[in-house]
Amino acid sequence: MARRIDVTGAGGVRLAAWEYADPPKGDPAAAGSGRTRPGVLLLHGLMGRAAHWASPARRLSERYHAVALDQRGHGQSDKPPKAAYTRDAYIEDAEAALEQLGLAPAVVIGHAMGALTAWQLAAKRPDLVRGLVICDMRASALGAASQREWADWFRSWPVPFATLADVRKWFGEDDPWVERPNPRRGAFYAEVMQETPDGWRPVFEPDQMLKSRETWVYDAHWEELALVECPALVVRGLDGELGRAEAQEMVRVLPRGEYAEVADAGHLVHYDQPEAWRGAVEPFLESVLGA
């Protein structure tokens, strides 16, 4: 079961937050379900959606009040004009979700861009974040060449796709960025497609994704890491985008950093290997939340 709760983000943008568990019995306030349990907020990465966290969120909901957020421009949240895709807007959206859903102080778990939002929020509002999980996100600058590669990649998509099977095959096998067949990657992208009169297209606007990315891709983010006061776990997939050396340097820079890696996982760590991901993250949550 997935239950939607609307959140008002920065600039009045309507955001969709999702609980993937039944409200606890006897709780009269549906929007406050799990209020007595420690809060966990899950933030997806660029092009992702809250549903990508469904499996981990269901498991976490057995012990915590876990909520996944469709960030602006993604999933079922509003997709405002390009000017609204700033780092501050993403951070303020997460801040609003924690406050309006009664989750704070919470552990914030982020993947890729969502992880950057999480640690920037933790640096800005330590009163809201009691723990942080950073999944496969680099702190170093990626640069202009990376942004050009992404623009070229978006243009290479053969949209519209005739069927969801075509989506899974292209992103799992035919995409030039795929080194070897990866059905999980195909499934990941199938979840961010919607049927239109002429075929299947992404639920997001690629131009808005590029606009979101350009607000962080040119800069390094080590200073914000150093300002994170709470316990923080850096998780990487062995075949992901975050290299071991950089991940361990991030742990060193974090005042209370810890490190974990997941075998047989790429960039989509929690999606590729959900059981192994939980095995790496759940002990950390127990140590921080004591539940």
Side-chain angles (χ1 to χ4, degrees), residues 1 8 15 21 41 60 71 73 87 112 116 128 133 148 158 179 185 199 201 204 226 228 233 259-260 263 267:
M1 174 183 175
T8 302
L15 306 171
L41 179 67
L60 293 174
Q71 297 177 82
R87 278 285 83 217
L116 175 60
L128 297 182
V133 179
R148 288 193 297 270
E179 296 180 357
R185 187 176 188 270
R201 295 179 178 273
F204 51 78
V228 174
L233 177 68
Y259 174 76
H267 177 58

Side-chain angles (χ1 to χ4, degrees), residues 168-186:
R168 295 186 186 97
K169 184 176 185 300
W170 196 82
F171 286 100
E173 300 178 24
D174 300 337
D175 183 349
W177 283 17
V178 175
E179 296 180 357
R180 58 181 181 273
N182 185 345
R184 296 296 294 168
R185 187 176 188 270

Side-chain angles (χ1 to χ4, degrees), residues 106-110 115 118-120 122-123 129-135 224-235 247-260 280-281 283-285 287-288:
V107 169
V108 182
I109 300 174
W119 86 63
Q120 290 179 326
V129 184
R130 64 193 295 188
L132 179 66
V133 179
I134 298 168
C135 299
E224 296 106 313
L225 277 182
L227 295 175
V228 174
E229 299 175 359
C230 63
L233 177 68
V234 178
V235 183
Q248 292 177 343
E249 180 64 10
M250 290 169 66
V251 171
R252 189 193 68 79
V253 170
L254 285 159
R256 302 172 67 184
E258 301 178 31
Y259 174 76
V281 171
F284 173 80
L285 293 179
S287 69
V288 173

Side-chain angles (χ1 to χ4, degrees), residues 31-218:
S33 64
R35 188 172 291 157
T36 59
R37 294 174 293 159
V40 175
L41 179 67
L42 300 113
L43 301 176
H44 60 74
L46 189 72
M47 301 181 293
R49 64 185 306 171
H52 286 142
W53 288 113
S55 176
R58 287 191 184 96
R59 173 70 174 265
L60 293 174
S61 293
E62 295 172 7
R63 305 179 70 178
Y64 312 112
H65 183 192
V67 179
L69 182 69
D70 275 336
Q71 297 177 82
R72 59 178 53 217
H74 297 76
Q76 293 189 29
S77 288
D78 283 350
K79 299 168 178 61
K82 293 180 181 179
Y85 293 91
T86 65
R87 278 285 83 217
D88 285 345
Y90 277 105
I91 295 164
E92 289 170 18
D93 286 348
E95 191 174 348
L98 288 175
E99 293 179 329
Q100 293 173 34
L101 297 172
L103 296 173
V107 169
V108 182
I109 300 174
H111 172 247
M113 183 190 73
L116 175 60
T117 299
W119 86 63
Q120 290 179 326
L121 173 62
K124 176 187 176 185
R125 291 290 306 273
D127 57 311
L128 297 182
V129 184
R130 64 193 295 188
L132 179 66
V133 179
I134 298 168
C135 299
D136 217 68
M137 178 61 186
R138 300 180 62 183
S140 58
L142 301 180
S146 172
Q147 188 71 353
R148 288 193 297 270
E149 288 173 0
W150 272 70
D152 290 343
W153 179 58
F154 277 128
R155 286 192 288 268
S156 76
W157 291 17
V159 292
F161 294 92
T163 67
L164 274 181
D166 292 328
V167 173
R168 295 186 186 97
K169 184 176 185 300
W170 196 82
F171 286 100
E173 300 178 24
D174 300 337
D175 183 349
W177 283 17
V178 175
E179 296 180 357
R180 58 181 181 273
N182 185 345
R184 296 296 294 168
R185 187 176 188 270
F188 183 93
Y189 282 97
E191 288 199 52
V192 295
M193 296 290 164
Q194 62 184 349
E195 191 170 16
T196 67
D198 63 347
W200 292 84
R201 295 179 178 273
V203 298
F204 51 78
E205 294 293 333
D207 285 349
Q208 292 179 349
M209 298 300 97
L210 287 172
K211 186 68 175 179
S212 296
R213 195 172 187 271
E214 73 179 12
T215 64
W216 53 264
V217 72
Y218 302 117

